[in-house]
Amino acid sequence: MKRFIVEKGLVLPLDRANVDTDFIIPKQFLKSIKRSGFGVNLFDEHRYLDKGEPDSDNSQRPVNPDFVLNQPRYKGCSILLTRDNFGCGSSREHAPWALEDYGFRAIIAPSYADIFFNNCFKNGLLPIVLNRETVDQLFREVEDTDGYELEIDLNGQTIIRPNGSVLEFSVDEFRKNCLINGLDDIGLTLEDAGDIHDFESKWREQSPWYFNPPKMT
Amino acid sequence: MSGKTLYDKIWDTHLVKQRADGTALIYIDRHLIHEVTSPQAFEGLRLAGRTPWRTGANLAVPDHNIPTTSDERRQGLAGIKDPVSKIQVKTLNENCKEFNILELEMNDLRQGIVHVVGPEQGATLPGMTIVCGDSHTSTHGALGALAHGIGTSEVEHVLATQCLMQKKMKNMLVRVNGALNLGVTAKDVVLAIIGEIGTAGGTGYTIEFAGKAIRSLSIEGRMTVCNMAIEAGARAGLIAVDEKTLEYIQGRPFAPHGELWDKAAEAWKCLASDPDARFDRVVELSAEVIEPQVTWGTSPEMVAPVSGSIPDPMTESDETKRVNIEQALHYMGLRGGTPIQDIQLDCVFIGSCTNSRIEDLREAAQVVAGKKVADSVELAMVVPGSGLVKQQAEAEGLHEIFIKAGMEWREPGCSMCLAMNADQLGEGKHCASTSNRNFEGRQGFGGRTHLVSPVMAAAAAIHGHFVDIRELNN
Ligand code: SF4
């Protein structure tokens, strides 16, 4: 998992509440055998004017010029600013996979759907909760300012605005630690790699028959 | 202090680390892989720049959605008509090559359903911890191994760390006393157990099957029983090691040989629960009263003895149960009170990881020998569990018996057990199936599944409806 320490990036304002996982990545893309490459289909139904299929050539599809992601001023964005209950719907991990694959590192919203919120941390995405007034204020600032960037410092739990003022946010200590160190469940277990190696060598000595290579005829 | 159960023993020997929050890090000896639940796990490894912890612990085989017609199989990958299946099988091949994992490819003689292949190759050994991204991994418990299914994120976890994060289950003992009647098989025993404790009866437990009737089963029969532990809600089923276990394993490719075999066999003899072991729950059944079983509904617990009838929902006092029965009967197109033997069949499927081993095919062949499938049965298919089972069956001439009777003889795979490939049960059709799940749509959209033993399925094929195999035997 990618580590998250400081992220300075362009902010994309997605001005809607209750964005569900089908909005983030429509269900036809779940048949894929991959967990990367979903970025081109992020927000597919709104970003393109036709219906996307897993085997579509996305470079040939008509894009929706009105959708915020397609506006040139937001090209290269990495921080998503949005409204209440972001990520509701199914438990599919494809939603954070798609956001992450597109290039997002953090989300700012007043609230999130529970499973989505958890899935973000597992996939290197930082979902930040700020109160509604602050989110409103940020929306106004982003719309008024071309090239609006925020700098998120996870360790200090701060967001620095272009005018230098600082917003604070809270985050679960355990999850913060995992993100800062880039630890997913596997990463966590691998912190005990020494114990696993010790166990394995003892076990191999005690029960060598489980480590025996097959005798193929 | 009381003794340990078999489950306790295997758990304790594989405990790497106990964490304060009650979870434990458990070492995994064998990881079985198939094409459907592994692609994202491999992709995850690649994205994180990780490699398998111990490649030799892994064994892969495609089974779930490969075609079973020899025509398609002969052409290899290119012959797979369904594009999704083709991509999954191809991806498995590529992943195994990239990560240096042994794969028994689609047209390898040793290929087959992952839960048939594991024991057959000796890759399943007593006292092991075994996982696979498939719920019927419980099958391998028949050899005294602790085996259960896992999800795709856990598949990646096991690949990368050779461990799983687990919470320990409770211990349940299911003891089947006495001797089975003629015509009553392992399948009937496990269906009767599920009928008794329900599909949630084993939730939170590891079930150990014991008692004289279980001991009397062959290893194949024990696999049938453990296979369906998951259908009783238990992620793992277990049976203690005995002489039959050792006999079954000796000489198989992955099994230890020579001096190492002697040592292993000695160690494995302790793989049984201590006489004073404490179980959280004990269930006792008497083998003598178990009849051949037939499921009539859409859950394995909706089961009745062949001499019985479909329950009448009107006589069920529990409101929830009554509604359940009504819904199931509506889906199945059956009426309460109908005798089981009046259920007419359109299709017969002999196969799946529950009942596709050589013993199952021998028993089924014996029933159909010299007879013809009833005209009303549109399709009767026999799908061996592995290429080796198929080869053995052909050496014994079983395929000719099936073909002469009017049955189709297919290439090994999961086939109509879950209908991921072209083998699908038609809408509204009734199928006597030796598989393990009779959920709505499991064998094809709108299909109606009746779970039975191989001999009961074979007899149903001949008669076009269910018959009591015990009467045919006389
Ligand atoms: S035969 Fe059926 S139950 Fe067994 S592994 Fe295949 S699909 Fe699953």
Side-chain angles (χ1 to χ4, degrees):
Chain A
M1 197 170 80
K2 260 194 224 150
R3 302 174 69 179
F4 191 111
I5 301 165
V6 175
E7 174 66 25
K8 186 168 188 199
L10 206 59
V11 180
L12 178 83
L14 182 65
D15 197 356
R16 289 176 176 253
N18 302 312
V19 170
D20 63 32
T21 47
D22 247 314
F23 186 113
I24 301 173
I25 180 92
K27 53 181 134 341
Q28 65 267 32
F29 299 105
L30 271 56
K31 280 189 219 151
S32 161
I33 50 159
K34 303 210 161 265
R35 87 181 277 144
S36 58
F38 292 105
V40 284
N41 299 111
L42 175 69
F43 306 136
D44 197 274
E45 286 173 2
H46 298 265
R47 186 169 161 188
Y48 301 98
L49 293 167
D50 62 349
K51 184 168 187 287
E53 291 298 339
D55 53 359
S56 305
D57 178 359
N58 296 291
S59 63
Q60 301 301 314
R61 296 173 60 199
V63 295
N64 174 5
D66 296 334
F67 187 60
V68 65
L69 192 73
N70 291 328
Q71 294 170 11
R73 63 184 283 205
Y74 299 118
K75 199 168 184 309
C77 56
S78 65
I79 298 169
L80 179 66
L81 177 68
T82 186
R83 301 287 186 181
D84 268 301
N85 198 26
F86 186 77
C88 56
S90 85
S91 63
R92 70 187 66 149
E93 224 163 306
H94 300 68
W97 292 346
L99 286 160
E100 202 266 351
D101 190 66
Y102 182 85
F104 284 105
R105 299 299 328 270
I107 311 170
I108 299 172
S111 65
Y112 298 86
D114 193 42
I115 299 176
F116 174 81
F117 188 73
N118 281 322
N119 284 342
C120 283
F121 286 101
K122 282 193 197 162
N123 291 284
L125 265 176
L126 173 63
I128 295 173
V129 179
L130 293 181
N131 65 41
R132 283 198 192 97
E133 294 72 56
T134 312
V135 169
D136 274 343
Q137 176 60 28
L138 288 177
F139 264 104
R140 278 195 295 274
E141 289 174 17
V142 175
E143 263 135 50
D144 291 348
T145 326
D146 258 342
Y148 187 90
E149 288 193 333
L150 289 174
E151 183 177 328
I152 300 169
D153 174 2
L154 178 55
N155 202 25
Q157 298 181 210
T158 56
I159 302 172
I160 305 169
R161 286 145 106 170
N163 66 8
S165 73
V166 174
L167 295 165
E168 292 185 354
F169 64 92
S170 56
V171 59
D172 176 88
E173 266 310 305
F174 174 75
R175 287 170 160 155
K176 173 177 164 181
N177 180 38
C178 288
L179 271 185
I180 286 180
N181 295 302
L183 298 175
D184 47 17
D185 282 0
I186 295 175
L188 271 178
T189 297
L190 287 175
E191 287 207 319
D192 291 329
D195 293 307
I196 303 173
H197 278 299
D198 289 349
F199 175 90
E200 195 171 53
S201 48
K202 255 186 258 151
W203 186 233
R204 189 191 289 268
E205 218 169 278
Q206 206 181 315
S207 307
W209 39 85
Y210 296 138
F211 295 81
N212 207 23
K215 194 169 154 185
M216 293 299 177
T217 43
Chain B
M1 221 189 86
S2 59
K4 285 183 179 181
T5 65
L6 175 53
Y7 173 52
D8 296 338
K9 289 182 187 182
I10 302 180
W11 175 273
D12 289 351
T13 49
H14 289 80
L15 182 65
V16 175
K17 195 172 180 173
Q18 182 71 51
R19 294 208 165 111
D21 62 355
T23 59
L25 207 55
I26 292 293
Y27 187 81
I28 302 301
D29 294 311
R30 175 75 64 213
H31 181 209
L32 301 166
I33 298 168
H34 65 84
E35 79 277 24
V36 178
T37 53
S38 63
Q40 267 107 357
F42 281 114
E43 173 88 353
L45 276 194
R46 239 186 321 266
L47 285 177
R50 293 180 175 125
T51 49
W53 179 279
R54 178 156 76 85
T55 38
N58 301 286
L59 175 63
V61 61
D63 57 0
H64 277 64
N65 56 20
I66 55 169
T68 59
T69 59
S70 18
D71 200 41
E72 275 183 273
R73 284 288 269 274
R74 214 174 300 124
Q75 303 164 51
L77 266 185
I80 307 181
K81 290 195 188 103
D82 177 51
V84 176
S85 305
K86 188 192 283 185
I87 289 176
Q88 288 192 333
V89 175
K90 187 165 162 268
T91 306
L92 181 68
N93 292 350
E94 289 166 359
N95 282 328
C96 289
K97 269 190 201 88
E98 177 180 342
F99 292 105
N100 203 16
I101 285 171
L102 178 62
E103 182 196 354
L104 307 178
E105 290 190 17
M106 185 172 76
N107 284 342
D108 191 305
L109 180 62
R110 301 163 296 175
Q111 178 272 343
I113 306 171
V114 64
H115 309 308
V116 174
V117 170
E120 189 172 75
Q121 290 300 316
T124 301
L125 296 173
M128 268 186 166
T129 46
I130 301 177
V131 293
C132 172
D134 185 278
S135 58
H136 293 97
T137 309
S138 58
T139 312
H140 308 261
L143 292 152
L146 177 58
H148 61 76
I150 53 176
T152 295
S153 54
E154 288 175 311
V155 169
E156 185 184 340
H157 195 278
V158 170
L159 278 168
T161 69
Q162 211 53 49
C163 288
L164 257 193
M165 300 286 298
Q166 289 266 286
K167 277 205 166 112
K168 199 175 172 199
M169 302 279 159
K170 289 183 284 183
N171 281 289
M172 183 189 294
L173 179 68
V174 173
R175 194 186 286 125
V176 188
N177 300 310
L180 293 171
N181 289 311
L182 202 66
V184 179
T185 68
K187 182 65 163 283
D188 305 302
V189 171
V190 70
L191 283 171
I193 292 170
I194 295 167
E196 175 81 21
I197 69 173
T199 47
T203 306
Y205 293 93
T206 290
I207 301 181
E208 179 173 344
F209 298 97
K212 192 165 157 247
I214 298 288
R215 298 251 70 85
S216 74
L217 294 174
S218 65
I219 295 300
E220 283 88 350
R222 295 178 189 182
M223 286 192 229
T224 302
V225 172
C226 288
N227 175 272
M228 291 190 74
I230 184 71
E231 259 41 80
R235 286 177 73 193
L238 274 171
I239 294 178
V241 171
D242 60 13
E243 279 305 320
K244 281 188 202 170
T245 323
L246 301 180
E247 232 169 76
Y248 176 91
I249 293 165
Q250 192 166 19
R252 295 185 183 265
F254 280 76
H257 295 267
E259 211 179 302
L260 202 56
W261 166 262
D262 299 335
K263 283 192 194 145
E266 198 50 42
W268 293 337
K269 282 183 188 146
C270 319
L271 290 169
S273 291
D274 294 332
D276 59 342
R278 213 189 64 77
F279 287 87
D280 302 285
R281 187 177 170 197
V282 178
V283 176
E284 305 234 13
L285 272 83
S286 166
E288 283 88 2
V289 301
I290 300 177
E291 290 184 34
Q293 306 278 311
V294 178
T295 67
W296 48 264
T298 51
S299 153
E301 70 184 13
M302 294 176 163
V303 65
V306 65
S307 67
S309 301
I310 298 172
D312 183 350
M314 299 321 285
T315 62
E316 176 60 62
S317 52
D318 183 302
E319 169 75 17
T320 326
K321 279 191 194 150
R322 200 189 71 235
V323 173
N324 273 344
I325 295 174
E326 278 169 351
Q327 282 168 346
L329 291 181
H330 177 75
Y331 178 83
M332 295 295 287
L334 293 169
R335 275 220 311 277
T338 310
I340 291 290
Q341 299 188 37
D342 286 356
I343 299 173
Q344 306 292 315
L345 297 157
D346 309 293
C347 182
V348 173
F349 171 65
I350 299 177
S352 92
C353 57
T354 319
N355 285 122
S356 64
R357 286 167 281 266
I358 190 68
E359 177 185 276
D360 302 312
L361 303 190
R362 281 182 193 136
E363 289 176 358
Q366 224 173 11
V367 175
V368 301
K371 305 202 176 72
K372 281 259 178 283
V373 170
D375 288 341
S376 57
V377 172
E378 299 160 11
L379 172 68
M381 62 195 295
V382 184
V383 186
S386 72
L388 288 169
V389 169
K390 181 167 186 263
Q391 188 187 45
Q392 178 64 29
E394 289 178 352
E396 296 176 21
L398 304 184
H399 65 308
E400 276 160 13
I401 297 177
F402 291 124
I403 293 167
K404 268 196 203 125
M407 301 173 105
E408 294 195 12
W409 178 243
R410 295 292 187 94
E411 300 295 324
C414 293
S415 181
M416 205 194 275
C417 172
L418 89 168
M420 257 188 99
N421 67 357
D423 308 341
Q424 312 235 348
L425 180 59
E427 195 172 347
K429 304 286 182 189
H430 286 267
C431 179
S433 175
T434 65
S435 56
N436 45 43
R437 282 186 176 153
N438 53 349
F439 302 159
E440 288 188 15
R442 168 77 175 185
Q443 293 193 283
F445 180 77
R448 294 160 169 168
T449 303
H450 299 275
L451 303 177
V452 285
S453 72
V455 285
M456 283 289 290
I462 302 304
H463 294 266
H465 59 89
F466 287 115
V467 288
D468 191 339
I469 186 72
R470 293 169 301 176
E471 283 163 19
L472 295 187
N473 280 346
N474 292 336

